[in-house]
Amino acid sequence: MLALVSLFDALVRAVRLVSRWAARLIGLLLLAVVAMVIMEVVSRKLLGRSFEGVQEYAGYVLAVLSAWGLSHTLVERAHIRIDVGYSKLPIAARAALDLLSILAVNLVGWMIVIHAWPVFSGSLSNHTTANTPLSTPLWIPQLVWVLGYTWFALAAAVLAIRALLAAAGGDSATIRTLIGMGHEADPFETNELEARAHDNAATGGKP
C-alpha cells in the first residue's frame, strides 16, 4: 500500500510539472499570437496589407490553449465549483464531495477523449485541409488539441486514484490538498492535522 501511495505521489508531481510547463508554453504561444494580431492590424492600417493566416492560427492556438490549460487548472484546483454549504459540512462529507467531483471530471474528460480521437483520425486518413487560403492539414492542430485533452484525462485519473488511496487510508488532508476547494482549515481539521503530525513524529514517520 505504501509503495503504491509513493508511486502515485510521484505521478502527481510529474503531472503537476508537465502541466505547469505546458501552460507556460501555451502562454508564450498566446503572446506570440497577440503580437501577430497587433502587427497585422498595424500593417493593414498603415500599409494597406494584411498577413494571411493570422486569424486561422490564432484559432488553432485558442483551441490548443483550451485543451492543455485544463490539466494545469485541475492540478492547481482553479476550476470553478459551487461551494454553497461546502465549508459548513464535516470533513468526511467534504472529502466525499471532493471524490465525487474528481470522478465526475474523469467521466467528462474521458468522454471528450473518446470522441476527440476519431475526429483527429478522420482528418488524418482523409487528408482533410482547412477551408482557408493556407489549406492547413487539419490533423496537425488536431493532434496537439487531442493530446491536450488526453493529458487532461490522464491527469484527472492520477488525481482520482491518489485521492481514492487517501480515502482508503482515512487521509482527508491529502484529499483536500489534491482535489479540495481550498477553503481555510476549520479548527476541527486543524486539530486533526496537528494530531496526525504529532503521531508521525512520535512514531518516526512510520504508519
Side-chain angles (χ1 to χ4, degrees):
M1 181 67 173
L2 289 178
L4 190 60
V5 168
S6 298
L7 171 62
F8 275 91
D9 281 340
L11 288 176
V12 168
R13 289 192 295 270
V15 164
R16 180 171 284 110
L17 180 64
V18 173
S19 299
R20 183 181 295 123
W21 280 103
R24 290 172 178 172
L25 177 59
I26 296 301
L28 291 176
L29 288 177
L30 186 60
L31 289 176
V33 166
V34 171
M36 290 174 60
V37 169
I38 293 174
M39 292 173 58
E40 199 272 340
V41 171
V42 172
S43 176
R44 188 171 64 247
K45 293 295 183 182
L46 298 182
L47 305 177
R49 299 176 58 185
S50 61
F51 303 143
E52 289 186 356
V54 172
Q55 293 183 350
E56 178 182 352
Y57 286 112
Y60 296 150
V61 170
L62 289 177
V64 170
L65 173 65
S66 67
W68 280 96
L70 287 173
S71 59
H72 179 66
T73 307
L74 178 64
V75 297
E76 297 299 331
R77 298 186 298 163
H79 282 125
I80 297 174
R81 287 174 57 183
I82 300 173
D83 61 352
V84 177
Y86 177 88
S87 60
K88 305 299 182 183
L89 294 174
I91 296 175
R94 283 186 245 169
L97 289 177
D98 291 334
L99 290 171
L100 179 62
S101 69
I102 194 63
L103 292 176
V105 168
N106 269 271
L107 176 62
V108 173
W110 287 107
M111 287 297 295
I112 293 175
V113 170
I114 290 172
H115 289 86
W117 275 103
V119 174
F120 160 73
S121 179
S123 296
L124 180 62
S125 60
N126 296 327
H127 305 286
T128 307
T129 59
N131 187 21
T132 62
L134 297 180
S135 298
T136 303
L138 288 180
W139 70 267
I140 299 176
Q142 286 176 355
L143 175 61
V144 185
W145 168 74
V146 76
L147 287 176
Y149 280 123
T150 303
W151 180 252
F152 167 63
L154 290 172
V158 169
L159 289 180
I161 295 173
R162 181 61 185 92
L164 290 172
L165 289 173
D171 189 358
S172 59
T174 296
I175 295 175
R176 179 188 166 193
T177 300
L178 288 174
I179 58 175
M181 297 186 70
H183 287 276
E184 294 297 326
D186 58 31
F188 298 103
E189 187 169 358
T190 302
N191 292 337
E192 180 182 329
L193 296 179
E194 290 177 351
R196 183 180 293 110
H198 177 74
D199 292 341
N200 289 338
T203 59
K206 296 179 180 180

